[in-house]
Amino acid sequence: MMASSYSAKEEDGHHSGSAGLGGTAIRTRKPDNTAFKQQRLPAWQPILTAGTVLPAFFIIGLIFIPIGIGLFVTSNNIKEFEIDYTGTDMSSPCFNCSQSFSWNSTTPCRCVLFFSLDQPFESNVFMYYGLSNFYQNHRRYVKSRDDSQLNGDERSLKEPSKECEPYRTNENKPIAPCGAIANSMFNDTLDLFYIDPNGTQTQIPFIKKGIAWWTDKHVKFRNPSSSNPNLTAVFIDTAKPVNWRKPVYELDTDPENNGFINEDFIVWMRTAALPTFRKLYRIIQKKNNMTPTLPRGNYSLEVTYNYPVRSFEGRKRMILSTISWMGGKNPFLGIAYITVGSICFFLGVVLLFIHHKYGNRNNSSDIPN
Amino acid sequence: QCTGEESWVDSRTVYIGHKVPPPGTEAYIPQRFPDNRVVSSKYTFWNFIPKNLFEQFRRIANFYFLIIFLVQLIIDTPTSPMTSGLPLFFVITVTAIKQGYEDWIRHKADNAVNQCPVHVIQHGKVVRKQSQKLQVGDIVQVKEDETFPCDLILLSTSREDGTCFVTTASLDGESSHKTYYAVQDTKAFNTAEEVDTLHNGIIISKCSLSCLVSLAVAIYTGMETKMALNYQSKSQKRSAVEKSMNAYLIVYLGILISKALINTVLKYVWQANPNRDEPWYNQKTETERQRHLIRAFTDFLAFMVLFNYIIPVSMYVTVEMQKFLGSYFILWDDDMFDEELGEGPLVNTSDLNEELGQVEYVFTDKTGTLTENNMELRECCILPGAEREELFFRALCLCHTVQVKEEETVDGIKRGIHQGKSTSFYISSSPDEVALVEGMKRLGFTYLRLKDSHMEILNREDEMERFELLEVLNFDSVRRRMSVIVKSSSGEYYLFCKGADSSIFPRVVSGKVEQVRARVEHNAVEGLRTLCVAYKKLTHEEYDQTCRLLNSAKLALQDRDKKLAEAYDVIEKDFILLGATAVEDRLQDKAADTIESLHKAGMKVWVLTGDKMETAAATCYASKLFHRNTQILELTTKRTEEQSLHDVLFDLSRTVLRQLSGDYQDYGLIIDGATLSAVLKPTQDVTSNGGNYKEIFLEICRNCSAVLCCRMAPLQKAQIVKLIKASKEHPITLAIGDGANDVSMILEAHVGIGIMGKEGRQAARNSDYAITKFKHLKKMLLVHGHYYYIRIAELVQYFFYKNVCFIFPQFLYQFFCGFSQQPLYDTAYLTLYNISFTSLPILLYSLMEQHINMDILKRDPSLYRDIAKNSLLRWPTFIYWTLLGVFDAMVFFFGAFFLFDNTTFTSNGQMFGNWTFGTLVFTVLVFTVTLKLALDTHYWTWINHFVIWGSLLFYVIFSLLWGGIIWPFLNYQRMYYVFMQMLSSGPAWLSIILLIIVSLLPDVVKKVLCRALCPTTTERIQVRQHNSHDLHFHREEKIQLAYMSNIYKCVYISVIDSFLKEIILYTVTICLGR
């Protein structure tokens, strides 16, 4: 018995052994004869051979190529226009603004860019601003926010999370909204004018709602004590972010779009994955079926230049794009589908050849015993 | 076998019955001896947690994760400590639970031992005590069939001569009875003075006693007993798979460190421009600006933390669980269950499961392993003459050391063996003797008992014959014979001798040696164990002379053994040959089939036996180890007597090497113990041709398909195993045996298998696995071993692969986020990837996978060659998996990268952020690695379906839930609705599907091409199996039919067999001189 105490299973066996010695009936440890225990569960036993994989390759090829063509065509039908207004060139109208930038200037610097659209934009047009070389995905930047503050938590409003450093407090007042992301919110104002052939400029009406995720706007972001409509009172003990020109409760006149639930703000707060990114700025809605949203012709883009990018060699762009069911212009997906589909098809042919040549040999050949 | 502690055992002074030492003795320092508590458990209730934690963190992987965890706690790292803390906690807990459970069972066993009652004599009274309270110096009373609670010195017994018989079955597995003599001074109850420890006087605990009552004094107690000392020396075996796993781990550690280094350096290069380092929108805090010196180091650590998942945290725990749970399939196996014994296989360690699939050398014992160890007298060959015949039977009845045990109580085991045949049975240290005496009984001569030094025999006419036993010349393996001198009732002195033919024939003066020799050789070739019987008559004077000779030798103070041997040599000569006996030790069921299968599977089978060459060789032929066309090479004492060892070796190696150039010839080698030790002995002369015999010997062995080593001492068996283990290919060895003499080799070999046979359980206990019959080895290796190996190989490779897939995108992401250690995935994904999203499918795969049906594996042993030499875990395979992982990771990352590059993903124009990017990559990742496993799965039971699709579903549900609500108590909500938003976008779906297919494509193509162009045997069989799938049921029916008819055949044969045997036994074959 002593010796038997060195392993659980062994012990098991020995116990029954000593029980047997005691004169009980013949001991059995006979295992149950279940399919599972005998490793004989019924099973599907597929194997990957040229024969079985062939059809899959052809099917993938046959499905992917049309999808790819469809995507490619859709992507090509999407109208997209992009204009860089950084103003690094001497010739650029925004050159002066970009050079003479100062955080403290009270008079906004304005510049106007002219451009023309060769093709009319038929459906709704989405207006984006794009930044390059801007590391919104930098770790220090990504974490520099306080989600509970943005969710309307009173305590976080008074005492923002430490993650917000060094944008946490200003002059001993908590910053609302705190953190580097909020602090660096994009604050250029873009206005678009259509220039009639006769020279009159008509401002194109923008919609500024619906640019942020619905859930962000209605759940994730909330103003503190939303019962109190007077946002000025709510944010009374807080400081505005250092680089902001106006406090958070003056972002918009519309109370539904002011404070933390300002959609421009929410859009900015969703940090981009890559250093070159674009963010939705405004939507230009189609008025009626008769006229295109943006007809062919000349336009002017009026920029209120508030956002400095020169220091980190950044670029600023304005993008106009229509949208299909598959989003914006993205030729990559279509090309990728066509390529993969073709490769699969090609592989299918190769495998067919191989299967034809070697498959029979394998099946007939005997295994040397 | 317990040489280790012999030096440790110095003499100790024990006062029997705790008497006060007599005043005369010099200063007596009361020694403190431990009590008799036996502790095999590792932990107590109190120290479990600290001790277990300490044990676990001694494991390098756990320690590594602990360090990572601590680093995360101390410095500012990209991921929360949770991400490594939680998996580590999980791993530690699972292991602790397992170890705690095992220890609890040990505690229970210890308690059972420690609390069993012992009779102790205190102040002249018998007192019952718990075993654990026994003290050194206590006088213990042990009754018949009881086991000794500790190491004892025998003081006296109920027998007048102060002897007792001890079975050491549970210690060394030998069921034979050993005689122990009480210390002379205390034979008759004198409670006496000092008892010094005579080493040979110690009876070791756990041996059961078979004389009525004995008194003994406790010498070594508790953890100091020989038993406990023996057990502590068991060393840990590690499998080849584990070794490659550790090698891979080191490679990955290297990759990890270089990744972190590269990123740290690049980070500083990138940061050289202050506008990049600290643009206006992303200022540093004061503290971040200050610590410049240690900053680089903490950055390095932070990168380490970010990439640390490349070392799979859960691999060890999964491997452990796989081994532990997987071993149950052996325990449960119905085919390996033995109805007779009512026992199935045992798994003593599950660490070596996969090693069963890697065996290259099988070392097997003969007696009891290949054979049944159920001796039966098959033949008596008696030289003609009525007087001789009578003497022959007398000789066999008298010339032995068998004891008779009267059976009073009906005892479980004994009843099983001798069912109702007699009320008494024979016990002896040699099963051959028992077989002979029992054979005699069946022929009408019953040995009754030894009474007053008279041996009593009941002859055919039921008359009692009494012979006075005068001398016993004990058996020894050098003389290979034993003799007795008896005095018949008519006053004649006889010397009966029986022994091996080679030791008897030279001493025979009369008798037809040639005929007997022919018969003996014939029998030996048939695999029977033969003994020759001879006698001589002694006159009274001769007897007196003999007596004197013996006594002077016995009393010699110096060279007693040598003198005894010389005396024996003088006495045992001038024999008259009586005849020979043949005892059969039948081959085990299907032993030949098993050996043939092992051969086909590419294993080399060596038989190591203590038997003599002829018998062993015969068994080898019978068990198909040697075939008829095998050319036998002999390396025996017989040959080395003629030639020098050197010449013989070179001769043989020349013979063997010729094979390489010319036609193929099957070689078998026979070597005996004496020659082996000569070969292994380091040569004295260092001349060029003196050389290294070992190498030449190994070279010969390597070219022989089968090797038979006979006349082996137990330690030599281990030596051989060691020799092969250390040879330059480092083959995986397996040793299988049933007796205590096999323990050394079982412990030495990579895998030790014990057979639960008649010789006790010692081998089974020291083994890694124990089976009931030799034939089960076939299924154990060919089916279970094969499965375990492919399962664990895939498990290991897959684990590294999936972690490369997991971490490499993070590495790539650093290039696009300014080397800021921004994690690509959310914390929850980082934490749960290894412990829940991808853990179960691979665990289940590693438990259930059957790439080929087990029937085919069993039928076609050559498949075993496909996995030989750790073929699935070689470097090329490993590199392939790693590259595949890197490729897949590139596909995930750059696929998502190009899709995200400057475009809108949704139909409402809204944009996605970095967390959606990570989630997209992660989703593709989880699906790809799971589907990759699905592609590798060849055996889809409903459980596989459930787990694979279930774990994907779990991932989706978890993600929905994780992003579905604003989690309270969480200081960030970055995942809120990210997953749903992603799923609401058409292009995201399309790209997920695309990326999954692209990343799976190369592997599928590689598989298909390999299978088509250069298929392995395994793959061909799979195709065949697949093609014949619709015929499957039909075939199975056929097999069943064939099987049934086989059973009938077997039954038929065995009926005939037993019938024949009866005939042979009852009508003695008398070979008459023709």
Side-chain angles (χ1 to χ4, degrees), chain B residues 73-89:
Chain B
L73 282 182
I74 294 162
I75 67 163
D76 167 48
T77 56
T79 53
S80 90
M82 193 73 116
T83 51
S84 61
L86 203 66
L88 184 66
F89 178 74

Side-chain angles (χ1 to χ4, degrees), chain A residues 2-3 10 38-39 41 44-45 48 128 135 137 139-140 147 167 212 271 273 278 308 311 326 337 363, chain B residues 227 275 281 283 332 334 765 791 813 816 820-821 850 902 904 909-910 914 939-940 973 987 990 1011:
Chain A
M2 177 168 98
E10 187 188 344
Q38 300 308 319
Q39 304 193 66
L41 279 179
W44 173 53
Q45 295 168 300
L48 294 175
Y128 299 89
Y135 284 84
N137 58 5
R139 182 159 75 92
R140 209 164 57 228
D147 275 342
Y167 305 97
T271 48
R278 59 168 76 168
S311 64
M326 55 156 285
Y337 259 88
N363 291 348
Chain B
M227 191 80 188
N275 277 329
Y281 58 84
Q283 302 283 311
W332 284 334
D334 207 32
R765 193 162 288 147
R791 287 168 185 173
Y813 192 56
F816 301 94
S820 60
Q821 303 132 10
Q850 297 181 20
N902 244 330
T904 314
Q910 291 166 359
N914 64 322
Y939 195 74
W940 284 85
Q973 305 295 341
L990 286 174
R1011 187 184 287 282

Side-chain angles (χ1 to χ4, degrees), chain A residues 298-332:
Chain A
N298 292 326
Y299 291 85
S300 69
L301 174 69
E302 204 181 300
V303 181
T304 314
Y305 203 108
N306 294 326
Y307 204 71
V309 292
R310 217 169 60 98
S311 64
F312 53 89
E313 290 157 6
R315 310 286 286 183
K316 295 196 283 191
R317 289 161 296 144
M318 188 279 300
I319 304 118
L320 293 170
S321 173
T322 59
I323 292 281
S324 72
W325 61 271
M326 55 156 285
K329 204 175 184 70
N330 186 8
F332 172 76

Side-chain angles (χ1 to χ4, degrees), chain B residues 136-150:
Chain B
V136 171
D138 277 350
I139 300 171
V140 184
Q141 184 186 34
V142 184
K143 295 209 180 97
E144 190 182 11
D145 284 337
E146 281 182 354
T147 54
F148 298 115
C150 59

Side-chain angles (χ1 to χ4, degrees), chain B residues 348-398:
Chain B
N348 293 336
T349 170
S350 53
D351 289 344
L352 298 169
N353 286 347
E354 67 275 2
E355 205 83 334
L356 293 173
Q358 289 295 306
V359 176
E360 287 161 83
Y361 280 84
V362 174
F363 297 95
T364 165
D365 177 37
K366 190 181 79 75
T367 315
T369 308
L370 286 178
T371 61
E372 297 254 21
N373 199 14
N374 190 4
M375 310 279 180
E376 259 180 286
L377 180 62
R378 271 289 291 271
E379 191 179 286
C380 299
C381 167
I382 304 171
L383 288 170
E387 184 209 12
R388 275 189 181 162
E389 200 182 317
E390 291 292 311
L391 273 173
F392 180 86
F393 292 133
R394 302 288 185 291
L396 285 182
C397 281
L398 298 172

Side-chain angles (χ1 to χ4, degrees), chain B residues 571-606:
Chain B
I571 297 162
E572 291 171 324
K573 63 181 181 191
D574 307 330
F575 287 144
I576 301 160
L577 191 62
L578 284 171
T581 59
V583 173
E584 189 190 22
D585 187 7
R586 269 196 305 159
L587 269 189
Q588 279 202 2
D589 189 25
K590 286 188 185 158
D593 169 61
T594 307
I595 285 193
E596 245 187 330
S597 302
L598 297 185
H599 265 296
K600 274 185 195 157
M603 283 173 248
K604 299 206 164 155
V605 183
W606 290 35

Side-chain angles (χ1 to χ4, degrees), chain B residues 1024-1057:
Chain B
R1024 241 186 16 178
Q1025 178 188 329
H1026 193 255
N1027 290 343
S1028 63
H1029 209 263
D1030 26 60
L1031 301 169
H1032 192 67
F1033 294 102
H1034 185 62
R1035 199 185 60 207
E1036 205 140 77
E1037 234 165 50
K1038 260 190 186 165
I1039 291 170
Q1040 196 105 51
L1041 269 176
Y1043 179 66
M1044 289 304 281
S1045 69
N1046 249 343
I1047 286 182
Y1048 290 132
K1049 234 184 261 168
C1050 288
V1051 169
Y1052 177 68
I1053 287 170
S1054 70
V1055 164
I1056 290 193
D1057 200 302

